């Protein structure tokens, strides 16, 4: 197949798996003309968050603010942070991030860089954000909290949020959605989720999506296996009603 270039490439949640990211980039082999976008959650859980941040920052790749970067900022950019905020971040993988830095010190330049990260990127035909949108609000009304954290209300939308563009997100591991197996992408009403759970023992798949050529590149961070799939073979379509049923079941049982 003859691929179109330059390409637009979107990388899902890396979560500190630097070596997996390097293996993925070896497979994708982006040129200087290609545009590369990260959906956020570069950090936490995996062993090499510092190296991931250095790589993305030094290469000047576009990157969104994820909920994990937001948790870090709630601690390191806020003089009045609470012990609850610290514990929430550490519980969510923050300790691995601290450990990945020399002398367990996160440099101010990284914190300052996190502060510059946008909550969404509009590419015209695609709209990138970390978690999703509140379907009841306009774009201008969306909060950083919603764009970084929202789940069920977004995934259960019965109609696309945009009439002319697809929302691409990470944040929610795809196999936690109804009917999706580990490694598959999830396609809903006007949205595509590419967080295939790199850190999770049930998956290990880190995903890069070439939206120019509709190709999915994946590396498994645990066993280093690599694969390339046509987008149509890599997705599972999500029925919004099943998301709602799943949400009601969780509310009943937890």
């Amino acid at each position: 197949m003859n691929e179109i270039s330059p390409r637009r490439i979107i990388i899902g949640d890396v979560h500190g798996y630097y070596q997996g990211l390097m293996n993925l980039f070896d497979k994708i082999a982006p040129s200087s003309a290609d545009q590369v976008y990260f959906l956020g959650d570069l950090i936490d859980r995996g062993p090499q968050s510092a190296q991931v941040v250095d790589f993305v920052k030094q290469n000047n790749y576009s990157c969104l603010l994820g909920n994990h970067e937001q948790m870090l900022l709630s601690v390191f950019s806020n003089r009045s942070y609470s012990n609850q905020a610290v514990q929430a971040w550490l519980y969510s993988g923050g300790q691995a991030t601290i450990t990945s830095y020399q002398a367990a010190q996160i440099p101010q330049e990284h914190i300052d860089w996190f502060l510059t990260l946008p909550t969404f990127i509009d590419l015209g035909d695609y709209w990138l954000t970390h978690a999703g949108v509140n379907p009841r609000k306009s774009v201008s009304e969306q909060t950083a909290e919603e764009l970084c954290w929202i789940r069920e209300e977004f995934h259960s939308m019965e109609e696309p949020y945009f009439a002319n563009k697809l929302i691409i997100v990470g944040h929610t591991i795809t196999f936690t959605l109804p009917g999706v197996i580990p490694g598959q992408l999830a396609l809903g009403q006007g949205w595509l989720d590419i967080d295939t759970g790199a850190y999770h023992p049930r998956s290990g798949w880190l995903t890069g999506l070439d939206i120019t050529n509709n190709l999915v590149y994946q590396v498994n961070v645990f066993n280093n296996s690599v694969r390339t799939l046509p987008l149509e073979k890599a997705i599972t379509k999500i029925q919004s009603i099943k998301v709602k049923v799943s949400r009601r079941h969780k509310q009943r049982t937890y």
Side-chain angles (χ1 to χ4, degrees):
M1 183 183 73
N2 293 324
E3 294 185 18
I4 301 169
S5 66
R7 300 173 295 172
R8 292 182 295 176
I9 298 159
I10 304 167
I11 310 295
D13 303 32
V14 180
H15 278 301
Y17 280 93
Y18 175 75
Q19 191 54 57
L21 180 61
M22 292 302 95
N23 292 342
L24 184 64
F25 265 65
D26 284 345
K27 183 65 176 177
I28 297 173
S31 72
S32 59
D34 292 332
Q35 297 174 326
V36 178
Y37 304 89
F38 285 78
L39 292 178
D41 280 7
L42 301 180
I43 62 169
D44 295 350
R45 305 193 191 279
Q48 294 177 299
S49 290
Q51 292 90 330
V52 173
V53 175
D54 269 334
F55 175 75
V56 177
K57 181 176 178 293
Q58 290 172 6
N59 284 280
N60 202 31
Y61 291 132
S62 297
C63 183
L64 290 164
L65 181 71
N67 63 300
H68 283 261
E69 287 83 20
Q70 193 183 58
M71 283 191 286
L72 181 151
L73 289 174
S74 72
V75 174
F76 287 97
S77 69
N78 186 350
R79 292 182 180 178
S80 61
Y81 66 83
S82 66
N83 185 62
Q84 184 179 7
V86 176
Q87 293 305 315
W89 179 52
L90 294 177
Y91 177 78
S92 301
Q95 185 60 57
T97 295
I98 294 172
T99 303
S100 72
Y101 282 92
Q102 188 173 5
Q105 293 290 320
I106 300 177
Q108 188 62 43
E109 64 177 294
H110 279 197
I111 295 170
D112 292 343
W113 183 73
F114 291 141
L115 285 166
T116 70
L117 299 181
T119 53
F120 68 88
I121 299 173
D122 189 347
L123 300 180
D125 48 350
Y126 295 94
W127 202 83
L128 314 182
T129 193
H130 179 65
V133 296
N134 184 328
R136 296 178 287 104
K137 294 183 177 181
S138 67
V139 170
S140 63
E141 293 173 320
Q142 303 289 329
T143 66
E145 192 77 9
E146 288 165 327
L147 296 172
C148 288
W149 287 91
I150 201 165
R151 294 192 196 273
E152 286 90 351
E153 192 173 4
F154 169 69
H155 296 130
S156 61
M157 292 191 305
E158 296 181 0
E159 296 180 357
Y161 184 79
F162 294 111
N164 60 348
K165 61 187 76 183
L166 181 70
I167 301 174
I168 301 180
V169 300
H171 183 55
T172 298
I173 297 177
T174 54
F175 72 70
T176 66
L177 294 165
V180 184
I181 64 172
Q184 284 276 292
L185 281 57
L187 179 66
Q189 287 294 324
W191 58 265
L192 177 66
D193 183 352
I194 70 168
D195 177 10
T196 41
Y199 77 87
H200 200 287
R202 278 189 60 194
S203 176
W205 291 107
L206 175 62
T207 293
L209 170 63
D210 173 356
I211 57 174
T212 304
N213 296 286
N214 290 325
L215 288 174
V216 175
Y217 296 90
Q218 294 184 315
V219 167
N220 193 291
V221 305
F222 299 132
N223 61 26
N224 297 317
S225 57
V226 181
R227 64 189 184 189
T228 304
L229 301 167
L231 178 59
E232 66 269 18
K233 292 186 179 297
I235 61 174
T236 297
K237 293 184 178 179
I238 301 295
Q239 296 180 1
S240 58
I241 186 64
K242 290 188 176 181
V243 176
K244 292 179 180 179
V245 169
S246 174
R247 178 173 57 179
R248 286 199 295 268
H249 176 71
K250 289 177 182 177
Q251 289 172 340
R252 286 198 303 269
T253 56
Y254 293 99

